[in-house]
Amino acid sequence: MSAISHFLTTLVQNGPKANNAKIVAAVVALLLFKYRSHAIGTRPRRELKQPRGAVPLLGHMPLMLSIPGTKLYDFFVKQNEELGPVWSISLPIIGRMIQGDTPEMVEHVLKTNFWAYEKGPIFYSAMGDLFGNGIFNVDGHEWKMQRRLASHIMNVKAFREYTSDVFVKEGEKVIEYLGKAADAGTVVDFHLLMLQFTLDSFGSISFGESFGCLDNIDKPVDFAVSFDDLTGVCSDRLVDPTWKIREMFSSVGKKASYDKELIGKHAFKLIEKRRREGFHGTKKDLLQLFMDTKDDNGQPLSDDMLKDAILNFTIAGRDTTAQALSWMFYSLNREGADQIVLDTLVQEVDDVLQGGQPTYETYKQQKFAEACLYESLRLFPSVPRNLKQCVQDDILPDGTHIYKGEWFTWSSYVMGRSELVWGADAKEYKPSRWIGTEKPSQGKFSSFHAGPRVCIGQQFATIEALTMIAMILSKFRIELVEPNKLPAYGVSVTLPMLDGLPIRVHRRNDVKEE
């Protein structure tokens, strides 16, 4: 492209003016012909299936921008059903994306040939305001170092026990709020309540201080608002190649800068306070554990590294678990749901807790609750679509070539609904598929990612979710306000409920209140 541009500039500057328009028209015609079926700057790849709607130079950009955010993942499901598990789109600036929704392909990219795929500069640029240089946004040496530090911290027994205590403490605030709502007969946004619970929990786990969301549930917390808004903006960037221009000439860019600064200032304030006052608790939080570690050069982590590390874990622990709980309670209580599933779950809660509180030990006995959670994650994965950039030419398991610079994309949302992957009942919510059967491969159930970058917080997310499930179901019965309505999802890196999940809460008649 640079050679064509140079050639065109030379001709325009030195050639007869009468010919300038003809030269420009000829070059435009050449480009339109060369890129008649795909985006400028990409290979044609005519051997790959692709959705209808590609236009010269822009490829599938107009098509993708025309799809409402609330229908995006269902569009991918439709393409999977019509074109099969392997198909492709091309976008200007971003490049060619090859969708591969099979367990074999996912394992190949995330495990077998892990070294040939990275997050890439486009992902880093789009998500930088949110993730910074944290573990979810970097590759290579930086990722390896942070992964090593985080893995060590996550395996500290005292830290696991500390997190379990935090979940119960914050969960008690949720139970108190639900009790008042049950007595007053008021409607509760369960999705928002779970987001507040998980953010407060990870505030305590990360910084030793709750964000205060559950102290006054009906009052918005600035950090949470900025957190949500910035997540949405960064997610939009991944499907809009022109986002830098758009944000430059709109209020979106200014708001993103404001949110980034507010979140960063809050983190730096807590880090500075810890350095000034020191740590005097009995069980170390995530911040202290990171402050006690050293990088590969034997040096303490800088404030910037601490900020990015802590915020990355807060981001991961907040949205994903809250959304998983919301989609699970929807699945259990929607119209047409199998009552036996809910009854079995409640019975397990009663048998395990025996009227007491959840502990790190009791969660290990909640096998059916775990099955209910994972079945919900299969159908409503916290990260519905993901992507990796190829950094070295590769061949996928089905023989598809993928070239350096192209993207491999996959969708856990699509695969969870695929009969080729999960069988004829793939679209049904059936926790029994997780009981007494062989554990699915990471490629088949990729809700916690796979390979070297598999989620190191999976156990903590599971403990947090099972703690909340047990505490709620041991006291209350949940009723959806609109049981026949599938909640719309929002545009995000994760899978939030766009309009929340309105519920009514009823105290269990068979439970004696203390």
Side-chain angles (χ1 to χ4, degrees):
M1 285 305 299
S2 59
I4 294 176
S5 177
H6 176 70
F7 175 69
L8 177 61
T9 301
T10 301
L11 284 178
V12 170
Q13 290 177 345
N14 301 321
K17 292 184 178 180
N19 292 330
N20 287 351
K22 294 180 180 180
I23 294 170
V24 172
V27 172
V28 170
L30 175 63
L31 291 175
L32 286 171
F33 177 77
K34 181 177 180 180
Y35 296 103
R36 61 189 180 278
S37 62
H38 56 289
I40 188 169
T42 63
R43 294 172 182 260
R45 304 303 305 270
R46 294 184 181 88
E47 76 277 16
L48 297 175
K49 296 178 181 178
Q50 63 180 17
R52 293 193 181 108
V55 300
L57 300 179
L58 298 179
H60 293 89
M61 180 180 171
L63 171 66
M64 297 308 295
L65 292 179
S66 71
I67 301 169
T70 55
K71 299 294 182 182
L72 181 62
Y73 305 121
D74 296 288
F75 165 80
F76 290 118
V77 171
K78 181 180 179 182
Q79 301 312 309
N80 179 270
E81 293 172 347
E82 294 181 352
L83 302 177
V86 184
W87 51 278
S88 176
I89 61 173
S90 63
L91 301 171
I93 301 175
I94 292 177
R96 178 164 295 281
M97 293 181 165
I98 298 175
Q99 188 82 11
D101 290 318
T102 71
E104 296 77 17
M105 286 193 173
V106 172
E107 291 214 15
H108 175 85
V109 170
L110 301 186
K111 294 179 69 175
T112 309
N113 277 22
F114 169 78
W115 47 269
Y117 299 86
E118 295 182 350
K119 292 280 189 177
I122 290 178
F123 185 92
Y124 177 86
S125 176
M127 304 304 298
D129 286 345
L130 188 64
F131 292 137
N133 291 309
I135 191 171
F136 297 115
N137 210 35
V138 294
D139 295 300
H141 175 74
E142 280 295 316
W143 170 78
K144 287 181 180 179
M145 183 193 74
Q146 293 189 47
R147 178 79 182 193
R148 177 180 60 80
L149 296 177
S151 296
H152 171 71
I153 288 171
M154 292 295 176
N155 286 320
V156 175
K157 182 180 179 182
F159 180 63
R160 294 201 301 264
E161 293 174 346
Y162 170 63
T163 58
S164 183
D165 293 342
V166 169
F167 296 149
V168 172
K169 177 184 176 182
E170 298 299 333
E172 288 175 341
K173 298 177 184 177
V174 172
I175 297 305
E176 181 182 357
Y177 181 78
L178 290 177
K180 293 178 180 178
D183 295 339
T186 55
V187 172
V188 173
D189 183 347
F190 186 79
H191 185 52
L192 176 60
L193 183 62
M194 291 301 97
L195 286 168
Q196 292 167 322
F197 162 67
T198 53
L199 185 57
D200 272 2
S201 294
F202 266 82
S204 297
I205 290 168
S206 299
F207 299 107
E209 293 186 16
S210 167
F211 288 101
C213 299
L214 293 173
D215 294 335
N216 189 348
I217 289 177
D218 297 319
K219 180 181 179 181
V221 174
D222 289 343
F223 181 93
V225 173
S226 289
F227 193 90
D228 289 337
D229 290 349
L230 188 58
T231 299
V233 169
C234 290
S235 300
D236 287 344
R237 294 171 178 174
L238 290 174
V239 293
D240 182 5
T242 65
W243 68 266
K244 290 185 179 180
I245 298 174
R246 173 174 55 82
E247 291 186 15
M248 186 182 301
F249 294 101
S250 70
S251 60
V252 175
K254 292 181 179 179
K255 182 63 167 62
S257 296
Y258 168 82
D259 292 333
K260 175 186 176 182
E261 184 178 7
L262 186 148
I263 294 169
K265 280 184 175 180
H266 184 88
F268 282 131
K269 179 181 178 181
L270 293 173
I271 292 170
E272 189 277 331
K273 179 182 178 182
R274 180 64 58 84
R275 291 198 186 282
R276 183 179 68 252
E277 299 180 358
F279 178 75
H280 305 290
T282 56
K283 295 180 180 179
K284 295 181 179 180
D285 53 30
L286 201 55
L287 174 58
Q288 193 59 43
L289 289 168
F290 270 112
M291 291 179 74
D292 290 345
T293 61
K294 301 289 191 296
D295 63 19
D296 289 344
N297 297 318
Q299 298 298 314
L301 303 187
S302 67
D303 284 3
D304 281 325
M305 293 178 68
L306 288 171
K307 183 261 296 182
D308 288 341
I310 300 302
L311 287 180
N312 270 242
F313 279 97
T314 302
I315 291 166
R318 187 252 184 162
D319 286 10
T320 54
T321 307
Q323 291 164 12
L325 284 166
S326 300
W327 288 111
M328 177 185 151
F329 272 85
Y330 159 75
S331 300
L332 290 169
N333 296 282
R334 75 196 189 288
E335 187 174 70
D338 187 349
Q339 185 62 38
I340 294 176
V341 172
L342 182 57
D343 291 343
T344 303
L345 178 57
V346 172
Q347 187 61 56
E348 180 188 74
V349 168
D350 291 346
D351 292 343
V352 170
L353 293 191
Q354 294 289 312
Q357 292 281 38
T359 66
Y360 178 70
E361 296 302 322
T362 59
Y363 106 89
K364 299 175 184 177
Q365 303 172 50
Q366 294 178 253
K367 299 302 182 183
F368 193 72
E370 183 177 88
C372 291
L373 176 68
Y374 286 3
E375 178 67 352
S376 180
L377 282 169
R378 183 184 70 83
L379 289 169
F380 303 102
S382 296
V383 181
R385 187 168 182 256
N386 218 323
L387 73 168
K388 290 276 191 175
Q389 188 169 35
C390 183
V391 295
Q392 182 174 327
D393 290 359
D394 192 20
I395 300 177
L396 298 173
D398 71 332
T400 299
H401 287 257
I402 181 168
Y403 300 104
K404 180 180 179 180
E406 293 182 332
W407 295 85
F408 176 80
T409 61
W410 73 99
S411 172
S412 298
Y413 186 93
V414 170
M415 290 177 64
R417 288 162 170 73
S418 171
E419 293 186 5
L420 291 176
V421 178
W422 289 96
D425 60 354
K427 295 181 180 179
E428 297 178 31
Y429 179 78
K430 293 178 63 175
S432 59
R433 76 176 79 240
W434 296 86
I435 303 296
T437 58
E438 184 179 350
K439 183 179 179 181
S441 68
Q442 291 180 347
K444 183 176 181 179
F445 179 62
S446 58
S447 293
F448 291 100
H449 212 68
R453 294 191 84 136
V454 68
C455 176
I456 57 178
Q458 177 176 350
Q459 183 184 34
F460 295 93
T462 303
I463 294 173
E464 182 178 24
L466 266 55
T467 297
M468 194 76 270
I469 292 166
M471 295 184 74
I472 291 174
L473 293 182
S474 67
K475 301 286 186 182
F476 305 106
R477 178 173 61 83
I478 302 299
E479 175 194 358
L480 299 183
V481 172
E482 299 179 286
N484 59 346
K485 178 183 177 182
L486 173 65
Y489 51 76
V491 178
S492 177
V493 178
T494 54
L495 195 69
M497 290 181 169
L498 183 63
D499 301 312
L501 185 66
I503 65 167
R504 290 187 177 89
V505 192
H506 307 279
R507 293 187 184 274
R508 284 178 53 183
N509 296 326
D510 59 330
V511 175
K512 183 179 180 181
E513 296 295 329
E514 297 180 356

